[in-house]
């Protein structure tokens, strides 16, 4: 019996592309690199900040210096253009009313993940975990973040489900040994998700209520 619902963040709960684009381009300008388009950023997100910057930067660039500028700007702007997708708040409220525990496992850096969840969802998310390699939380598809959240929630793998919008989320759920629900309002197409192993697909957040 499912009692815990875990979510990806960017592309699943939150539409974050515009703020990510602004933060990427702030970092690009700091080092006189070419600016990126929204589509370039949209296609590059999902595997964590290091991978995002590897995809954005020319060979030989100092990725970690650019990442520091990205983080500096992203924390400063306080998600000015980010917003929850339609019906997400209603979904989370209904899950809480029905007694489900909720968590987030994201490849966004941990401080940004927690900031986003606190700002938009307050007590609707019980625990949020972002990528934090220095403290042993490897980015997805490693299942370590999933296990950390389940531990914090005192939940079991067999009573959990993971919801995400990408092939990374599908593989993360598989690696963690829990079922995955793939959403169609995020950053990947239906065809792409099916080709990458998606089995359970939803086109509206409220459909999740009948699947958990």
């Amino acid at each position: 019996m499912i009692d815990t619902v875990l979510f990806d963040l960017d592309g699943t709960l939150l539409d974050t592309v515009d703020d990510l684009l602004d933060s990427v381009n702030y970092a690009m300008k700091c080092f006189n690199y070419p600016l990126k388009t929204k589509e370039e950023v949209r296609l590059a997100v999902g595997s964590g900040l290091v991978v995002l910057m590897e995809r954005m930067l020319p060979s030989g660039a100092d990725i970690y210096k650019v990442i520091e500028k990205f983080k500096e700007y992203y924390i400063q702007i306080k998600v000015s253009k980010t917003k929850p997708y339609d019906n997400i708040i209603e979904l989370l409220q209904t899950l809480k009313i029905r007694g489900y525990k909720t968590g987030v496992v994201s490849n966004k850096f941990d401080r940004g993940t927690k900031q986003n969840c606190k700002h938009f969802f307050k007590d609707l998310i019980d625990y949020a975990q972002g990528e934090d390699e220095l403290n042993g939380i490897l980015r997805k598809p490693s299942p370590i973040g999933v296990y950390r959240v389940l531990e914090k929630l005192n939940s079991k793998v067999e009573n959990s489900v993971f919801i995400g919008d990408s092939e990374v989320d599908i593989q993360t759920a598989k690696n963690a040994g829990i079922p995955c629900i793939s959403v169609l309002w995020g950053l990947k197409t239906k065809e792409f998700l099916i080709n990458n192993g998606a089995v359970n697909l939803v086109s509206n957040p409220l459909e999740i209520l009948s699947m958990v």
Side-chain angles (χ1 to χ4, degrees), residues 60-75:
D62 189 330
I63 290 175
Y64 292 96
K65 284 188 177 180
V66 182
I67 284 174
E68 287 306 310
K69 289 296 182 181
F70 174 99
K71 289 181 177 180
E72 172 187 298
Y73 186 81
Y74 191 84
I75 293 297

Side-chain angles (χ1 to χ4, degrees), residues 6-17:
L6 305 181
F7 295 91
D8 169 56
L9 189 60
D10 294 22
T12 301
L13 295 179
L14 294 177
D15 181 354
T16 59
V17 173

Side-chain angles (χ1 to χ4, degrees), residues 15 18 40 44 64-65 88 176 183:
D15 181 354
D18 287 332
E40 285 176 313
Y64 292 96
K65 284 188 177 180
I88 285 296
V183 308

Side-chain angles (χ1 to χ4, degrees), residues 10 12 22 71 85 95 124 142 190 194:
D10 294 22
T12 301
D22 288 350
K71 289 181 177 180
Y85 288 102
L95 288 172
L124 294 177
S142 165
K190 181 177 181 178
I194 291 173

Side-chain angles (χ1 to χ4, degrees), residues 14-206:
L14 294 177
D15 181 354
T16 59
V17 173
D18 287 332
D19 279 330
L20 292 175
L21 173 64
D22 288 350
S23 301
V24 165
N25 280 335
Y26 171 81
M28 295 294 113
K29 285 190 286 187
C30 287
F31 297 94
N32 296 315
Y33 293 128
L35 301 186
K36 301 300 177 181
T37 67
K38 183 174 180 177
E39 184 67 4
E40 285 176 313
V41 171
R42 186 187 71 81
L43 292 174
V45 300
S47 295
L49 191 47
V50 172
V51 175
L52 171 62
M53 285 306 180
E54 285 175 346
R55 293 168 176 169
M56 296 290 99
L57 292 168
S59 177
D62 189 330
I63 290 175
Y64 292 96
K65 284 188 177 180
V66 182
I67 284 174
E68 287 306 310
K69 289 296 182 181
F70 174 99
K71 289 181 177 180
E72 172 187 298
Y73 186 81
Y74 191 84
I75 293 297
Q76 172 189 314
I77 60 174
K78 299 188 184 300
V79 293
S80 60
K81 297 178 182 178
T82 292
K83 60 186 181 297
Y85 288 102
D86 291 345
N87 295 322
I88 285 296
I89 297 297
E90 183 179 352
L91 166 65
L92 295 175
Q93 289 173 334
T94 304
L95 288 172
K96 299 304 291 182
I97 289 169
R98 294 183 181 182
Y100 289 93
K101 292 178 277 189
T102 56
V104 161
V105 184
S106 176
N107 274 344
K108 187 192 296 292
F109 63 104
D110 189 53
R111 183 180 175 189
T113 296
K114 287 178 167 59
Q115 174 179 289
N116 281 182
C117 288
K118 181 178 180 181
H119 178 80
F120 288 105
F121 306 125
K122 299 180 173 63
D123 60 350
L124 294 177
I125 296 295
D126 295 316
Y127 191 81
Q129 180 66 59
E131 181 272 327
D132 187 8
E133 288 199 13
L134 290 178
N135 289 300
I137 307 299
L138 305 181
R139 66 176 180 264
K140 299 178 297 183
S142 165
I144 292 175
V146 170
Y147 296 149
R148 171 64 64 85
V149 175
L150 293 181
E151 178 186 10
K152 293 290 186 179
L153 299 181
N154 195 28
S155 298
K156 297 180 180 179
V157 167
E158 58 266 29
N159 300 127
S160 305
V161 64
F162 192 78
I163 297 166
D165 73 304
S166 74
E167 76 284 8
V168 175
D169 297 316
I170 295 168
Q171 189 61 50
T172 300
K174 181 178 179 180
N175 291 344
I178 63 177
C180 183
I181 297 173
S182 297
V183 308
L184 298 177
W185 56 82
L187 303 175
K188 307 292 183 178
T189 66
K190 181 177 181 178
E191 180 182 19
F192 179 89
L193 290 170
I194 291 173
N195 288 341
N196 281 274
V199 175
N200 307 300
L201 297 119
V202 293
S203 57
N204 184 298
L206 299 182

